[in-house]
Amino acid sequence: MVKERKIGVAMDFSKSSKAALKWAIDNMADKGDTLYVIHINPNSLDESRNILWAQSGSPLIPLMEFRETEVMKKYEVEKDIEVLDMLDTVSRQKQISVIIKVYWGDAREKLCEAVKDLKLDSMVMGSRGLGSLQRILLGSVTNYVLSNATCPVTVVKHPDFKY
């Protein structure tokens, strides 16, 4: 019997992260798996919010709850119909669980924390396609996660990306 997997997808709602989500859905997700959509908000939490979230991220949010406008506002996430439709479709067609987890802070560190906290079997993420100089100056979330995550990481480039 095949083990049900925990697959993480880093989602910042860019073209490359949407391509990563589509790739994970088409190539990895299978019946019984859990797909964790991990969003990192670089802004710090409003002080009136639960201080615990700053360290551990949001509670696990089921897809049906996450679709609600109030819930998305509560977690400071912009509504993206394309992503929500992809998640709804895969949830129904492949009979997988879709869970959203929101973190606040540095994307590099928080994605690696998510791998450990959620005990992910694999992580899929997009690449912005920074050139070598930009990577040196700005750093690369992708390079950091590839080097530090405790699970296999798949990097997906958007098909329109020009080298």
mmCIF file of all heavy atoms in Angstrom, residues 26-60:
data_model
loop_
_atom_site.group_PDB
_atom_site.id
_atom_site.type_symbol
_atom_site.label_atom_id
_atom_site.label_comp_id
_atom_site.label_asym_id
_atom_site.label_seq_id
_atom_site.Cartn_x
_atom_site.Cartn_y
_atom_site.Cartn_z
ATOM 1 N N ASP A 26 -0.241 18.181 -11.140
ATOM 2 C CA ASP A 26 -0.165 17.276 -12.292
ATOM 3 C C ASP A 26 0.779 16.096 -12.072
ATOM 4 O O ASP A 26 0.538 15.004 -12.590
ATOM 5 C CB ASP A 26 0.300 18.039 -13.542
ATOM 6 C CG ASP A 26 -0.718 19.053 -14.027
ATOM 7 O OD1 ASP A 26 -1.896 18.996 -13.600
ATOM 8 O OD2 ASP A 26 -0.331 19.923 -14.842
ATOM 9 N N ASN A 27 1.854 16.298 -11.318
ATOM 10 C CA ASN A 27 2.910 15.290 -11.241
ATOM 11 C C ASN A 27 3.079 14.596 -9.896
ATOM 12 O O ASN A 27 3.747 13.561 -9.836
ATOM 13 C CB ASN A 27 4.253 15.925 -11.630
ATOM 14 C CG ASN A 27 4.245 16.383 -13.065
ATOM 15 O OD1 ASN A 27 4.286 15.579 -13.985
ATOM 16 N ND2 ASN A 27 4.155 17.689 -13.280
ATOM 17 N N MET A 28 2.534 15.155 -8.840
ATOM 18 C CA MET A 28 2.781 14.561 -7.523
ATOM 19 C C MET A 28 1.516 14.152 -6.782
ATOM 20 O O MET A 28 1.481 13.088 -6.190
ATOM 21 C CB MET A 28 3.581 15.536 -6.650
ATOM 22 C CG MET A 28 4.994 15.748 -7.147
ATOM 23 S SD MET A 28 5.986 16.673 -5.981
ATOM 24 C CE MET A 28 6.363 15.422 -4.768
ATOM 25 N N ALA A 29 0.526 15.032 -6.776
ATOM 26 C CA ALA A 29 -0.662 14.797 -5.950
ATOM 27 C C ALA A 29 -1.407 13.542 -6.390
ATOM 28 O O ALA A 29 -1.639 13.331 -7.575
ATOM 29 C CB ALA A 29 -1.580 16.014 -6.006
ATOM 30 N N ASP A 30 -1.764 12.724 -5.420
ATOM 31 C CA ASP A 30 -2.485 11.500 -5.690
ATOM 32 C C ASP A 30 -3.505 11.273 -4.568
ATOM 33 O O ASP A 30 -3.382 11.846 -3.478
ATOM 34 C CB ASP A 30 -1.503 10.323 -5.762
ATOM 35 C CG ASP A 30 -1.999 9.197 -6.645
ATOM 36 O OD1 ASP A 30 -3.117 9.296 -7.198
ATOM 37 O OD2 ASP A 30 -1.261 8.199 -6.782
ATOM 38 N N LYS A 31 -4.460 10.424 -4.822
ATOM 39 C CA LYS A 31 -5.540 10.151 -3.876
ATOM 40 C C LYS A 31 -4.985 9.884 -2.479
ATOM 41 O O LYS A 31 -4.047 9.107 -2.309
ATOM 42 C CB LYS A 31 -6.348 8.952 -4.355
ATOM 43 C CG LYS A 31 -7.532 8.632 -3.484
ATOM 44 C CD LYS A 31 -8.342 7.489 -4.042
ATOM 45 C CE LYS A 31 -9.546 7.220 -3.153
ATOM 46 N NZ LYS A 31 -10.381 6.146 -3.711
ATOM 47 N N GLY A 32 -5.548 10.574 -1.499
ATOM 48 C CA GLY A 32 -5.155 10.376 -0.111
ATOM 49 C C GLY A 32 -4.052 11.300 0.368
ATOM 50 O O GLY A 32 -3.810 11.407 1.567
ATOM 51 N N ASP A 33 -3.354 11.971 -0.556
ATOM 52 C CA ASP A 33 -2.284 12.890 -0.165
ATOM 53 C C ASP A 33 -2.857 14.144 0.479
ATOM 54 O O ASP A 33 -4.033 14.463 0.319
ATOM 55 C CB ASP A 33 -1.456 13.313 -1.383
ATOM 56 C CG ASP A 33 -0.588 12.195 -1.938
ATOM 57 O OD1 ASP A 33 -0.388 11.178 -1.238
ATOM 58 O OD2 ASP A 33 -0.105 12.349 -3.070
ATOM 59 N N THR A 34 -2.006 14.863 1.188
ATOM 60 C CA THR A 34 -2.357 16.176 1.715
ATOM 61 C C THR A 34 -1.449 17.193 1.047
ATOM 62 O O THR A 34 -0.228 17.034 1.055
ATOM 63 C CB THR A 34 -2.187 16.247 3.245
ATOM 64 O OG1 THR A 34 -3.023 15.256 3.843
ATOM 65 C CG2 THR A 34 -2.576 17.622 3.775
ATOM 66 N N LEU A 35 -2.066 18.204 0.449
ATOM 67 C CA LEU A 35 -1.333 19.282 -0.212
ATOM 68 C C LEU A 35 -1.368 20.495 0.711
ATOM 69 O O LEU A 35 -2.443 21.007 1.026
ATOM 70 C CB LEU A 35 -1.980 19.611 -1.557
ATOM 71 C CG LEU A 35 -1.279 20.665 -2.406
ATOM 72 C CD1 LEU A 35 0.075 20.156 -2.885
ATOM 73 C CD2 LEU A 35 -2.149 21.022 -3.601
ATOM 74 N N TYR A 36 -0.199 20.904 1.179
ATOM 75 C CA TYR A 36 -0.081 22.083 2.025
ATOM 76 C C TYR A 36 0.350 23.260 1.165
ATOM 77 O O TYR A 36 1.426 23.225 0.567
ATOM 78 C CB TYR A 36 0.956 21.874 3.134
ATOM 79 C CG TYR A 36 0.513 20.912 4.201
ATOM 80 C CD1 TYR A 36 0.823 19.557 4.116
ATOM 81 C CD2 TYR A 36 -0.221 21.352 5.298
ATOM 82 C CE1 TYR A 36 0.412 18.672 5.095
ATOM 83 C CE2 TYR A 36 -0.635 20.468 6.282
ATOM 84 C CZ TYR A 36 -0.309 19.131 6.174
ATOM 85 O OH TYR A 36 -0.719 18.260 7.144
ATOM 86 N N VAL A 37 -0.483 24.281 1.107
ATOM 87 C CA VAL A 37 -0.136 25.509 0.402
ATOM 88 C C VAL A 37 0.429 26.445 1.459
ATOM 89 O O VAL A 37 -0.270 26.828 2.406
ATOM 90 C CB VAL A 37 -1.365 26.124 -0.294
ATOM 91 C CG1 VAL A 37 -0.996 27.428 -0.974
ATOM 92 C CG2 VAL A 37 -1.941 25.133 -1.303
ATOM 93 N N ILE A 38 1.704 26.795 1.296
ATOM 94 C CA ILE A 38 2.412 27.570 2.318
ATOM 95 C C ILE A 38 2.658 28.974 1.790
ATOM 96 O O ILE A 38 3.342 29.153 0.785
ATOM 97 C CB ILE A 38 3.741 26.879 2.681
ATOM 98 C CG1 ILE A 38 3.455 25.459 3.161
ATOM 99 C CG2 ILE A 38 4.491 27.694 3.724
ATOM 100 C CD1 ILE A 38 4.652 24.551 3.128
ATOM 101 N N HIS A 39 2.075 29.945 2.474
ATOM 102 C CA HIS A 39 2.229 31.345 2.075
ATOM 103 C C HIS A 39 3.009 32.074 3.162
ATOM 104 O O HIS A 39 2.697 31.946 4.350
ATOM 105 C CB HIS A 39 0.859 31.998 1.878
ATOM 106 C CG HIS A 39 0.951 33.454 1.549
ATOM 107 N ND1 HIS A 39 1.445 33.914 0.350
ATOM 108 C CD2 HIS A 39 0.630 34.553 2.267
ATOM 109 C CE1 HIS A 39 1.412 35.242 0.341
ATOM 110 N NE2 HIS A 39 0.921 35.644 1.498
ATOM 111 N N ILE A 40 4.015 32.824 2.743
ATOM 112 C CA ILE A 40 4.808 33.607 3.693
ATOM 113 C C ILE A 40 4.503 35.078 3.478
ATOM 114 O O ILE A 40 4.699 35.599 2.386
ATOM 115 C CB ILE A 40 6.332 33.396 3.504
ATOM 116 C CG1 ILE A 40 6.676 31.910 3.361
ATOM 117 C CG2 ILE A 40 7.111 34.083 4.621
ATOM 118 C CD1 ILE A 40 6.360 31.061 4.545
ATOM 119 N N ASN A 41 4.015 35.732 4.513
ATOM 120 C CA ASN A 41 3.772 37.168 4.456
ATOM 121 C C ASN A 41 5.002 37.846 5.044
ATOM 122 O O ASN A 41 5.334 37.621 6.207
ATOM 123 C CB ASN A 41 2.518 37.528 5.260
ATOM 124 C CG ASN A 41 2.100 38.962 5.078
ATOM 125 O OD1 ASN A 41 2.936 39.828 4.840
ATOM 126 N ND2 ASN A 41 0.811 39.212 5.203
ATOM 127 N N PRO A 42 5.706 38.661 4.240
ATOM 128 C CA PRO A 42 6.944 39.270 4.744
ATOM 129 C C PRO A 42 6.707 40.334 5.816
ATOM 130 O O PRO A 42 7.622 40.693 6.539
ATOM 131 C CB PRO A 42 7.568 39.894 3.494
ATOM 132 C CG PRO A 42 6.433 40.110 2.563
ATOM 133 C CD PRO A 42 5.417 39.042 2.863
ATOM 134 N N ASN A 43 5.482 40.820 5.925
ATOM 135 C CA ASN A 43 5.168 41.851 6.925
ATOM 136 C C ASN A 43 5.018 41.224 8.294
ATOM 137 O O ASN A 43 4.604 40.084 8.424
ATOM 138 C CB ASN A 43 3.864 42.570 6.557
ATOM 139 C CG ASN A 43 3.938 43.177 5.183
ATOM 140 O OD1 ASN A 43 4.962 43.716 4.793
ATOM 141 N ND2 ASN A 43 2.862 43.058 4.426
ATOM 142 N N SER A 44 5.328 42.001 9.317
ATOM 143 C CA SER A 44 5.152 41.484 10.667
ATOM 144 C C SER A 44 3.675 41.549 11.030
ATOM 145 O O SER A 44 2.909 42.315 10.465
ATOM 146 C CB SER A 44 5.981 42.291 11.663
ATOM 147 O OG SER A 44 5.572 43.633 11.644
ATOM 148 N N LEU A 45 3.303 40.731 11.974
ATOM 149 C CA LEU A 45 1.915 40.677 12.410
ATOM 150 C C LEU A 45 1.494 41.957 13.107
ATOM 151 O O LEU A 45 2.285 42.573 13.825
ATOM 152 C CB LEU A 45 1.733 39.534 13.413
ATOM 153 C CG LEU A 45 1.370 38.185 12.843
ATOM 154 C CD1 LEU A 45 1.361 37.158 13.955
ATOM 155 C CD2 LEU A 45 0.066 38.205 12.131
ATOM 156 N N ASP A 46 0.247 42.325 12.925
ATOM 157 C CA ASP A 46 -0.358 43.425 13.662
ATOM 158 C C ASP A 46 -0.280 43.059 15.149
ATOM 159 O O ASP A 46 -0.540 41.924 15.527
ATOM 160 C CB ASP A 46 -1.821 43.569 13.217
ATOM 161 C CG ASP A 46 -2.527 44.723 13.867
ATOM 162 O OD1 ASP A 46 -1.988 45.313 14.819
ATOM 163 O OD2 ASP A 46 -3.637 45.037 13.413
ATOM 164 N N GLU A 47 0.097 44.016 15.970
ATOM 165 C CA GLU A 47 0.311 43.707 17.388
ATOM 166 C C GLU A 47 -0.925 43.183 18.099
ATOM 167 O O GLU A 47 -0.824 42.507 19.103
ATOM 168 C CB GLU A 47 0.856 44.943 18.104
ATOM 169 C CG GLU A 47 2.225 45.286 17.568
ATOM 170 C CD GLU A 47 3.076 45.999 18.576
ATOM 171 O OE1 GLU A 47 2.769 45.960 19.778
ATOM 172 O OE2 GLU A 47 4.060 46.593 18.146
ATOM 173 N N SER A 48 -2.107 43.482 17.567
ATOM 174 C CA SER A 48 -3.319 43.002 18.208
ATOM 175 C C SER A 48 -3.565 41.519 17.922
ATOM 176 O O SER A 48 -4.412 40.901 18.538
ATOM 177 C CB SER A 48 -4.530 43.820 17.742
ATOM 178 O OG SER A 48 -4.732 43.628 16.358
ATOM 179 N N ARG A 49 -2.822 40.962 16.981
ATOM 180 C CA ARG A 49 -2.974 39.543 16.638
ATOM 181 C C ARG A 49 -2.304 38.667 17.681
ATOM 182 O O ARG A 49 -1.457 39.090 18.444
ATOM 183 C CB ARG A 49 -2.335 39.248 15.275
ATOM 184 C CG ARG A 49 -2.933 39.991 14.138
ATOM 185 C CD ARG A 49 -4.163 39.237 13.652
ATOM 186 N NE ARG A 49 -4.903 40.083 12.744
ATOM 187 C CZ ARG A 49 -4.834 40.019 11.442
ATOM 188 N NH1 ARG A 49 -4.064 39.151 10.874
ATOM 189 N NH2 ARG A 49 -5.558 40.819 10.703
ATOM 190 N N ASN A 50 -2.653 37.424 17.606
ATOM 191 C CA ASN A 50 -2.071 36.435 18.507
ATOM 192 C C ASN A 50 -0.560 36.374 18.287
ATOM 193 O O ASN A 50 -0.096 36.049 17.203
ATOM 194 C CB ASN A 50 -2.721 35.085 18.213
ATOM 195 C CG ASN A 50 -2.294 34.020 19.176
ATOM 196 O OD1 ASN A 50 -1.272 34.152 19.845
ATOM 197 N ND2 ASN A 50 -3.067 32.979 19.263
ATOM 198 N N ILE A 51 0.198 36.695 19.309
ATOM 199 C CA ILE A 51 1.654 36.745 19.202
ATOM 200 C C ILE A 51 2.234 35.374 18.860
ATOM 201 O O ILE A 51 3.286 35.276 18.243
ATOM 202 C CB ILE A 51 2.280 37.334 20.492
ATOM 203 C CG1 ILE A 51 3.702 37.806 20.226
ATOM 204 C CG2 ILE A 51 2.246 36.341 21.627
ATOM 205 C CD1 ILE A 51 3.776 39.052 19.417
ATOM 206 N N LEU A 52 1.531 34.315 19.207
ATOM 207 C CA LEU A 52 1.975 32.963 18.895
ATOM 208 C C LEU A 52 2.139 32.772 17.392
ATOM 209 O O LEU A 52 3.047 32.089 16.945
ATOM 210 C CB LEU A 52 0.971 31.949 19.447
ATOM 211 C CG LEU A 52 1.233 30.477 19.127
ATOM 212 C CD1 LEU A 52 2.525 30.033 19.800
ATOM 213 C CD2 LEU A 52 0.068 29.638 19.576
ATOM 214 N N TRP A 53 1.280 33.377 16.586
ATOM 215 C CA TRP A 53 1.343 33.208 15.132
ATOM 216 C C TRP A 53 2.663 33.704 14.572
ATOM 217 O O TRP A 53 3.122 33.208 13.553
ATOM 218 C CB TRP A 53 0.208 33.942 14.456
ATOM 219 C CG TRP A 53 -1.130 33.333 14.681
ATOM 220 C CD1 TRP A 53 -1.429 32.231 15.435
ATOM 221 C CD2 TRP A 53 -2.365 33.798 14.152
ATOM 222 N NE1 TRP A 53 -2.769 31.999 15.409
ATOM 223 C CE2 TRP A 53 -3.368 32.946 14.630
ATOM 224 C CE3 TRP A 53 -2.716 34.856 13.335
ATOM 225 C CZ2 TRP A 53 -4.695 33.115 14.298
ATOM 226 C CZ3 TRP A 53 -4.039 35.025 13.010
ATOM 227 C CH2 TRP A 53 -5.017 34.165 13.483
ATOM 228 N N ALA A 54 3.251 34.690 15.199
ATOM 229 C CA ALA A 54 4.524 35.226 14.703
ATOM 230 C C ALA A 54 5.601 34.145 14.721
ATOM 231 O O ALA A 54 6.490 34.133 13.879
ATOM 232 C CB ALA A 54 4.955 36.425 15.541
ATOM 233 N N GLN A 55 5.528 33.230 15.661
ATOM 234 C CA GLN A 55 6.520 32.163 15.771
ATOM 235 C C GLN A 55 6.122 30.917 14.993
ATOM 236 O O GLN A 55 6.912 30.365 14.253
ATOM 237 C CB GLN A 55 6.727 31.790 17.255
ATOM 238 C CG GLN A 55 7.319 32.900 18.074
ATOM 239 C CD GLN A 55 8.700 33.284 17.590
ATOM 240 O OE1 GLN A 55 9.518 32.429 17.285
ATOM 241 N NE2 GLN A 55 8.959 34.572 17.486
ATOM 242 N N SER A 56 4.874 30.480 15.163
ATOM 243 C CA SER A 56 4.471 29.182 14.613
ATOM 244 C C SER A 56 3.612 29.275 13.368
ATOM 245 O O SER A 56 3.247 28.250 12.804
ATOM 246 C CB SER A 56 3.711 28.398 15.679
ATOM 247 O OG SER A 56 2.505 29.080 15.995
ATOM 248 N N GLY A 57 3.277 30.486 12.929
ATOM 249 C CA GLY A 57 2.393 30.625 11.784
ATOM 250 C C GLY A 57 0.941 30.460 12.181
ATOM 251 O O GLY A 57 0.616 30.254 13.347
ATOM 252 N N SER A 58 0.088 30.549 11.193
ATOM 253 C CA SER A 58 -1.347 30.432 11.445
ATOM 254 C C SER A 58 -1.698 28.997 11.833
ATOM 255 O O SER A 58 -0.913 28.081 11.614
ATOM 256 C CB SER A 58 -2.118 30.795 10.168
ATOM 257 O OG SER A 58 -1.949 29.777 9.192
ATOM 258 N N PRO A 59 -2.916 28.827 12.350
ATOM 259 C CA PRO A 59 -3.393 27.441 12.485
ATOM 260 C C PRO A 59 -3.534 26.841 11.082
ATOM 261 O O PRO A 59 -3.527 27.570 10.087
ATOM 262 C CB PRO A 59 -4.771 27.607 13.130
ATOM 263 C CG PRO A 59 -4.824 29.004 13.650
ATOM 264 C CD PRO A 59 -3.865 29.805 12.840
ATOM 265 N N LEU A 60 -3.672 25.546 10.984
ATOM 266 C CA LEU A 60 -3.917 24.909 9.690
ATOM 267 C C LEU A 60 -5.321 25.301 9.226
ATOM 268 O O LEU A 60 -6.278 25.185 9.986
ATOM 269 C CB LEU A 60 -3.795 23.391 9.808
ATOM 270 C CG LEU A 60 -2.419 22.876 10.223
ATOM 271 C CD1 LEU A 60 -2.448 21.364 10.384
ATOM 272 C CD2 LEU A 60 -1.350 23.297 9.235
#
